[in-house]
Amino acid sequence: MDTIITMPGHLITIEQAGIERCTAIIEWARRFRNRDAVPSQPPGTVALAFFEPSTRTRMSFEVAAAMLGARTVGFTTSGSSIEKGESFEDTIATIEALGAEAIVLRHSASDAAERAAAIATRAIIINAGDGMHQHPTQALLDAMTLLDTFGTLEKRRIAFIGDVLHSRVFRSGYTLFRMLGAEIGVCAPPLLRSGHLPLDMVELSDARAALKWADAVVVLRLQRERMQSGLVPSLADYRQRWAVRIADVEENSCYVLHPGPVNAGVELDAAVVDHARSLIRRQVTNGVFVRVAVLVEALGIPVVQPSSVVT
Ligand code: ASP
């Protein structure tokens, strides 16, 4: 029998989505990965509205949409009418008028996804990263990868290392991992810590201490595009205390995640990426299936068990 995954509306933040929706998306992502569920009818049009650069997120949404047989229409700021002065609001309304059923949105403004959701009358807005605010599909794929590794996040220790101040990956990941029962550690240079960090996190003095304390660390990139100058004295200085070194990875039993793009030689040693306890490539693969699940949900595509598909 067909199962229609309920269409719960826009995906803007982890808080709004809530634990039930997040765990359901992860469960569906696993079923799609295991080929234990397949979509039973072709979906409509998915618009990829990327006002800010992206490799993994954009490509994995593209791959996910292709796996579902959806039409995608692409958008990047360069070459679009944004360059002729068209407003953000008009651009979203135009994409919707073109017939997009889902708009996957990446933007440098922290309220962009909320603003798009306020304009859209039919299309579902999927936040693919808005400024320093949230990146919910990243949190979902990170949680899926950690759940694959540990079975449960209950009482597991997850530490974020690096530029938490500018990181939407931190803000959405923190919320989801806490919802799943994890303890959260944080380790960041004083000027790259947010003034409003949640109080229930364990403070760790440097990357070495984080690797000793945690079951898994999420290494964050220095978000230089969002940074005022002078927040980090020098890269050499940064590496000294905050970079994840291969020797420390080998000495401990901690797993390593990174949302990408990796700046090898800055926030981690290049050798860490392909270490046996690096989950970085698995994050990318899981990202495709999380995005399949999110699109199926957003577009209300009926899903069947493969055995019931008549060929
Ligand atoms: N790719 C992630 C993001 O878009 C992390 C990063 O850019 O450092 O937030």
Side-chain angles (χ1 to χ4, degrees), residues 1-2 38-41 303-311:
M1 216 184 64
D2 285 9
V38 289
S40 69
Q41 72 184 41
V303 170
V304 290
Q305 299 230 309
S307 57
S308 62
V309 178
V310 182
T311 50

Side-chain angles (χ1 to χ4, degrees), residues 106 135 168-169 221 223 259-261:
R106 156 77 53 105
H135 194 348
R168 54 197 177 205
V169 172
R221 182 177 65 89
Q223 308 255 313

Side-chain angles (χ1 to χ4, degrees), residues 22-307:
C22 289
T23 46
I25 291 171
I26 294 171
E27 199 38 48
W28 280 109
R30 285 183 153 159
R31 292 188 59 185
F32 291 125
R33 186 182 59 189
N34 299 343
R35 297 182 202 291
D36 182 28
V38 289
S40 69
Q41 72 184 41
T45 300
V46 176
L48 302 172
F50 278 68
F51 293 76
E52 209 189 45
S54 167
T55 302
R56 271 150 293 271
T57 305
R58 185 188 170 108
M59 287 181 72
S60 61
F61 268 111
E62 261 172 37
V63 173
M67 284 165 86
L68 291 169
R71 282 179 302 275
T72 50
V73 287
F75 172 91
T76 49
T77 309
S78 133
S80 77
S81 289
I82 294 275
E83 289 187 336
K84 298 183 188 168
E86 187 166 52
S87 72
F88 173 72
E89 279 72 13
D90 273 350
T91 308
I92 296 298
T94 302
I95 295 172
E96 188 175 55
L98 288 169
E101 288 176 25
I103 303 178
V104 178
L105 179 70
R106 156 77 53 105
H107 200 284
S108 57
S110 295
D111 61 351
E114 294 283 2
R115 275 165 57 203
I119 298 158
T121 53
R122 292 177 315 278
I124 299 292
I125 304 297
I126 300 171
N127 184 0
D130 56 347
M132 292 159 50
H133 182 217
Q134 285 258 326
H135 194 348
T137 56
Q138 181 73 46
L140 289 160
L141 73 90
D142 289 349
M144 178 176 174
T145 308
L146 289 164
L147 288 166
D148 285 347
T149 308
F150 298 120
T152 170
L153 291 197
E154 205 58 56
K155 301 255 180 302
R156 285 289 175 178
R157 294 172 162 190
I158 318 291
F160 289 88
I161 304 178
D163 184 2
V164 293
L165 175 63
H166 300 100
S167 179
R168 54 197 177 205
V169 172
F170 162 71
R171 263 173 277 285
S172 33
Y174 163 83
T175 309
L176 183 53
F177 304 162
R178 285 292 292 140
M179 283 176 173
L180 293 168
E183 288 176 39
I184 309 292
V186 66
C187 152
L191 294 176
L192 294 180
R193 298 166 45 83
S194 156
H196 307 287
L197 281 182
L199 296 174
D200 59 355
M201 296 195 299
V202 176
E203 294 279 342
L204 300 155
S205 57
D206 55 23
R208 180 169 290 177
L211 285 156
K212 277 198 199 324
W213 178 83
D215 295 306
V217 292
V218 180
V219 187
L220 300 170
R221 182 177 65 89
L222 282 175
Q223 308 255 313
R224 280 182 267 193
E225 70 276 26
R226 300 185 215 291
M227 214 178 265
Q228 299 152 9
S229 60
L231 293 185
V232 176
S234 72
L235 288 186
D237 217 71
Y238 183 86
R239 270 185 70 67
Q240 195 75 25
R241 204 162 149 199
W242 314 106
V244 170
R245 307 290 190 146
I246 188 69
D248 294 323
V249 172
E250 270 162 6
E251 238 172 59
N252 295 284
S253 55
C254 181
Y255 288 84
V256 179
L257 292 88
H258 190 306
V262 168
N263 283 325
V266 181
E267 68 268 13
L268 45 63
D269 288 347
V272 173
V273 176
D274 292 311
H275 188 274
R277 265 179 286 99
S278 159
L279 300 175
I280 296 172
R281 308 283 183 222
R282 271 187 244 172
Q283 287 173 271
V284 176
T285 306
N286 283 340
V288 172
F289 294 101
V290 158
R291 284 152 185 148
V292 169
V294 165
L295 289 174
V296 163
E297 186 200 42
L299 300 172
I301 301 168
V303 170
V304 290
Q305 299 230 309
S307 57

